[in-house]
Amino acid sequence: MLITGLAVFILTVSCVTAVVVDSPFGRVKGQEITAKNGKSFYSFQGIPFAKPPVGELRFAKPVAHPKIAGTLEALAMKPSCVQETYALLPGEEISEDCLYLNIYAKEIRPARQPSKVLVWIHGGGFLLGSYFMYNCESFVTNHDVIVVTISYRLGALGFLSTENEASKGNYGMWDQVLALRWVKDNIAAFGGDPNDVAIAGESAGGASVSLLSVSPAATGLFTKAFSTSGSATSLFTQYFNAQTEALKIAKQVNCWDGELDAKISLRQSEIIVECLRTRPAEELTKGVVYKLDRMPFVPRVDGEFLPQSPLKLVRDNRYLESLGFYERSYLVSFNNYEQSVIELILYFHDQTINARNVSIDEKARQKQELYQTLPGLAVRDRLEVEDVPQNLIDRIYGWYTRRYIGVKSLAALFTDLFFEIPTFEMLNVMSRKNSTNARLLYFNHFPQFVSGSIRGMPHVLDLVYWFDIPLEVIRSFVGIESQGNFTAEDHELKRVYSSIIADFVKTGNAERSILPSLPGGWPTYDPVESPYLDFNPHFSIQRNLAREKRLLWETLVPQWATGDRNIEHLEL
C-alpha cells in the first residue's frame, strides 16, 4: 500500500496486521494493535537510535545508530537501562544496550496532513525508570497524537563525572538529545510533523524537559514543552559532588585506592574511567539511592550541554533568545502533595541509619545530625554559594519551623526547592516576553481511592490521569494506601486532562477543550497576578498560588543574603 509522501506496506498474517514503514533510518516493521477502547493504532517498538553504549562508548556521548540494512523488526520493547531492580515491572529486564525508542500512531498520514508529535521522557530521579510503565494507547487513539517514548542512561552510567575531560557526565541528557534528533530526521515517515514536536516529562523527566529548553544542544529540536513536577532549577538537577561520587564508585569496584576527597589529575581520571569500563554495568549502579544530602548522578554544568548553572542561564535574556526559548509554547504543572516523595526519601534516610550496627543512642544522634545538616545543604546549593553564614540558614529555616511541626518543616523546605519554587521561577522566565505562551496547571485533586495518611495528589499519581497505568502499579511507585478504583469523577477528570495535553501538543494552546467551562479563558502566566488552572473536577482559574513562599525565595532570601536591612518589615 502506497500513501503519497510515505512508503507504507500493510501485510496481514495470522490475524495480526504488520506494517512496514520506509524511513531515512531504513525499513521498520511494526504492527497494528486494537486498544482496550476498541480503536486500532500502529505500534513500532524497540527502534535503536544510538549504537549500544558499551565498551569505549560507556561514559561517552551516544553515537547515532547507522541506517538499518534490510528490515528492522520493531515488534517488542527492548530492555530498560541498567538500574537497581526493585522498581522494575514484572517481566521488565535491564541491559546496558538500552538506547531505544517506541512510536505509537493512530494513523500513518501523508506528508501533507501530518500528525503532531509528543516525545515522552520518563522520570525516576535520573537513577530509575523506563518507558515500560507508560501505556499511551487511549491517548493516541482518542486524540490522534503520535507518541514517542524514549530511554536514556541512568545513574553512574548516565551521569558519572570526574569533572574533567576524562568523563564530563550528562550522558543521559545527550541520549535524550540524540533521540530527539532521530525523531526530527525520521518521524515524517511515520506520519508525524518533524517541525512541530512537543516534549513532555514528569519529575526527572520534567526537569529534563526544562533543561533541554535552556540547553544549546537541543536548539531546533522541539517547539513545545510540558514539564510536570520538575524544572531546570530544581535542587535535584544540580550535581555538586560529582568527582567524589566517581571515586566512591571506583573504590567499590577496585578502580581507585586513594582518598575519596582527593583532587585527581586528568591522567588519573582517564585511568579510573578506563578501569570502570571493564567492570560489569550492574556493579556500577548497585546500592545507589536517592539522597537529600546532595543527589548523586544527576545533570551538571559541563560547559557544553549546560554552559553555566540553570539559575545563571535563566537570568540571561540574550542567551535564551539565541536558543529560541521565547518562541516556544510551555505548559507547566505540579501536584498538591509533591511533598510525598520528600517524606519517602526522609524515611529511606531513617531506615539506612536504623540498619547500622550501632547503639540506639548513636542512631538517634546520627538522625539528629542529618536533620541539622540538611537545611544548610539545601540553602547553600540553592544559593550556589558554599560559604553561607549560619545565621542566614537559621533565618530561612526558621521561616519553615514557624509554619510546620517537626520534620514536616524539613520536608516542606525540600519540597519548595525541588518542585514549587523552581516551577514559578521558570514561569517567570517564560513570561518575560509577550510572544511566549506559558500556562500553569495545579493538580489540586483529592481522589477518593487514596487512603491512609496521604491526602491529595502525591508525586507521580497525576500520571494515571493521562497514561493507562493500572493503579496497582502506580501504588508501589507512589507508596500510597488506596481502596477501590477510579470513580466516574476520576474517569471524567482523565478525559479532560488528556484533552488539555492533546490540545497543547496540537496547537500550543492548552485551553481549547475546556473553554466552555471557563468563560473568561485560561490566561497565560504573568508574575504579577500569577493565574493558574486549579485542576480538579470543579476546575477554575485562581491566582497567586504559594504567594508567601514565592515572596520568601524571590524577594526576602536575596535581600537577606545581601544584608539589606531595609526589608525587615517584609518578613512574614
Side-chain angles (χ1 to χ4, degrees), residues 30-186:
Q31 56 191 325
E32 186 177 11
I33 297 175
T34 300
K36 290 181 180 178
N37 60 14
K39 301 176 183 179
S40 64
F41 67 100
Y42 294 105
S43 167
F44 303 86
Q45 296 180 322
I47 301 174
F49 63 85
K51 290 182 177 180
V54 299
E56 290 300 310
L57 293 182
R58 182 188 284 183
F59 308 125
K61 285 184 184 179
V63 175
H65 197 286
K67 182 175 180 178
I68 293 293
T71 300
L72 175 71
E73 300 269 337
L75 304 176
M77 288 187 185
K78 297 296 183 180
S80 304
C81 290
V82 176
Q83 57 191 280
E84 285 277 26
T85 58
Y86 60 82
L88 299 180
L89 298 178
E92 185 177 353
E93 298 179 347
I94 57 174
S95 171
E96 194 170 2
D97 177 7
C98 65
L99 298 184
Y100 295 85
L101 56 80
N102 313 297
I103 301 172
Y104 306 98
K106 182 178 181 180
E107 295 181 67
I108 301 178
R109 291 181 169 177
R112 66 178 181 274
Q113 298 174 329
S115 298
K116 298 304 180 183
V117 180
L118 172 67
V119 177
W120 172 254
I121 304 173
H122 70 78
F126 301 105
L127 295 176
L128 303 170
S130 73
Y131 44 46
F132 269 80
M133 186 170 69
Y134 303 100
N135 181 337
C136 58
E137 62 179 36
S138 65
F139 183 75
V140 168
T141 55
N142 289 333
H143 300 288
D144 192 16
V145 170
I146 293 178
V147 174
V148 182
T149 61
I150 69 173
S151 59
Y152 58 98
R153 283 171 284 179
L154 304 165
L157 295 171
F159 296 93
L160 181 138
S161 174
T162 53
E163 300 186 33
N164 54 33
E165 294 296 323
S167 182
K168 296 177 73 172
N170 285 342
Y171 306 118
M173 303 309 300
W174 289 110
D175 295 342
Q176 295 175 18
V177 171
L178 187 59
L180 289 174
R181 191 163 299 283
W182 191 99
V183 170
K184 178 84 170 178
D185 294 340
N186 292 278

Side-chain angles (χ1 to χ4, degrees), residues 281-299:
E282 288 78 3
E283 288 189 16
L284 305 183
T285 57
K286 188 184 303 180
V288 179
V289 297
Y290 299 122
K291 299 193 303 181
L292 293 181
D293 47 339
R294 294 185 166 166
M295 292 280 286
F297 305 118
V298 297

Side-chain angles (χ1 to χ4, degrees), residues 118-130 133-134 150 152 154 176 199-212 225-232 234 236-237 290 331-335 337-342 418-419 423 443 457-467 469 474 477-478 497 501:
L118 172 67
V119 177
W120 172 254
I121 304 173
H122 70 78
F126 301 105
L127 295 176
L128 303 170
S130 73
M133 186 170 69
Y134 303 100
I150 69 173
Y152 58 98
L154 304 165
Q176 295 175 18
I199 60 174
E202 182 270 343
S203 194
S208 294
V209 165
S210 191
L211 287 167
L212 290 164
F226 173 30
S227 55
T228 177
S229 304
S231 296
S234 293
F236 65 86
T237 68
Y290 299 122
L331 178 61
V332 180
S333 76
F334 65 98
N335 299 344
Y337 196 13
E338 298 287 1
Q339 188 165 315
S340 65
V341 71
I342 305 298
F418 271 43
F419 306 111
T423 295
F443 214 125
M457 291 296 296
H459 189 69
V460 180
L461 190 60
D462 54 313
L463 296 180
V464 301
Y465 292 87
W466 176 7
F467 294 98
I469 305 173
I474 208 71
F477 281 84
V478 179
Y497 190 50
I501 297 168

Side-chain angles (χ1 to χ4, degrees), residues 256-402:
W256 173 251
D257 60 2
E259 298 298 322
L260 297 182
D261 59 355
K263 296 301 178 185
I264 55 177
S265 67
L266 176 59
R267 182 55 190 151
Q268 287 175 306
S269 300
E270 290 170 343
I271 292 170
I272 290 171
V273 171
E274 288 169 6
C275 180
L276 289 173
R277 286 186 174 126
T278 69
R279 299 300 191 255
E282 288 78 3
E283 288 189 16
L284 305 183
T285 57
K286 188 184 303 180
V288 179
V289 297
Y290 299 122
K291 299 193 303 181
L292 293 181
D293 47 339
R294 294 185 166 166
M295 292 280 286
F297 305 118
V298 297
R300 63 177 293 270
V301 177
D302 61 357
E304 191 174 2
F305 181 83
L306 288 176
Q308 297 184 78
S309 75
L311 276 170
K312 291 184 174 68
L313 294 179
V314 299
R315 294 174 186 143
D316 189 340
N317 270 338
R318 184 172 297 179
Y319 169 79
L320 294 177
E321 286 173 348
S322 73
L323 305 180
F325 180 88
Y326 297 113
E327 298 169 16
R328 306 187 189 112
S329 296
Y330 297 95
L331 178 61
V332 180
S333 76
F334 65 98
N335 299 344
N336 62 13
Y337 196 13
E338 298 287 1
Q339 188 165 315
S340 65
V341 71
I342 305 298
E343 292 172 350
L344 191 61
I345 296 173
L346 285 170
Y347 171 78
F348 288 152
H349 277 296
D350 283 353
Q351 292 300 102
T352 300
I353 293 173
N354 289 338
R356 292 171 184 165
N357 188 24
V358 294
S359 68
I360 294 176
D361 289 343
E362 177 59 18
K363 290 175 182 177
R365 187 197 67 76
Q366 289 180 11
K367 289 180 186 179
Q368 183 180 19
E369 182 180 7
L370 175 68
Y371 292 153
Q372 289 174 342
T373 302
L374 287 175
L377 284 173
V379 172
R380 291 186 187 99
D381 292 351
R382 168 64 193 184
L383 299 180
E384 298 185 333
V385 177
E386 191 61 38
D387 187 18
V388 177
Q390 186 61 45
N391 64 343
L392 177 58
I393 296 170
D394 293 342
R395 193 172 191 181
I396 294 170
Y397 191 44
W399 188 95
Y400 286 89
T401 58
R402 290 195 299 275

Side-chain angles (χ1 to χ4, degrees), residues 389-433:
Q390 186 61 45
N391 64 343
L392 177 58
I393 296 170
D394 293 342
R395 193 172 191 181
I396 294 170
Y397 191 44
W399 188 95
Y400 286 89
T401 58
R402 290 195 299 275
R403 288 161 175 78
Y404 304 93
I405 298 173
V407 75
K408 290 285 186 181
S409 60
L410 189 60
L413 170 64
F414 275 92
T415 301
D416 286 351
L417 296 184
F418 271 43
F419 306 111
E420 295 198 21
I421 296 306
T423 295
F424 288 106
E425 195 159 47
M426 292 304 298
L427 282 163
N428 289 344
V429 175
M430 294 165 184
S431 59
R432 282 180 191 157
K433 305 281 186 179

